[in-house]
Amino acid sequence: FGPSLQRRSHRSRRRSTSAATMTEWWVSQKKHFCEICKVWHGGHIQQIMKHRSGRMHQDREEAMLKSSREREAERKKEEQ
């Protein structure tokens, strides 16, 4: 084997040009907190919509609304 076919160590490899264009700073991703489910998830609109269309969220939202309607009915009943 000639010198051009010898294996190079991992330390002698040159960095690609794409690595030079990447940021060297860590950037935090935005998070979204669901007040209904009391959970954090990704802040991208697609992730929010996926969460809101999920069964857990819809069940908890329905339970919250039902509870709210019951409390409102009790409050009106006490006023009379």
Side-chain angles (χ1 to χ4, degrees), residues 4 13 18 24-26 30-32 35-36 41 43 48 50 60 63 67-69 72-74 77:
S4 62
R13 291 184 190 152
S18 64
E24 292 183 13
W25 299 100
W26 178 78
K30 186 169 75 170
K31 297 285 186 181
H32 180 263
E35 292 288 335
I36 296 170
H41 53 85
I48 295 169
K50 182 178 179 182
R60 289 184 180 187
S67 172
S68 178
R69 286 189 290 264
E72 183 66 21
E74 287 177 13
K77 197 179 212 181

Side-chain angles (χ1 to χ4, degrees), residues 32-65:
H32 180 263
F33 184 73
C34 177
E35 292 288 335
I36 296 170
C37 300
K38 307 290 188 224
V39 295
W40 288 95
H41 53 85
H44 296 284
I45 190 70
Q46 294 87 0
Q47 292 171 322
I48 295 169
M49 297 300 287
K50 182 178 179 182
H51 170 75
R52 288 182 181 167
S53 66
R55 189 178 75 214
M56 179 183 78
H57 179 82
Q58 290 180 353
D59 289 347
R60 289 184 180 187
E61 185 176 34
E62 183 60 38
M64 183 188 74
L65 292 173

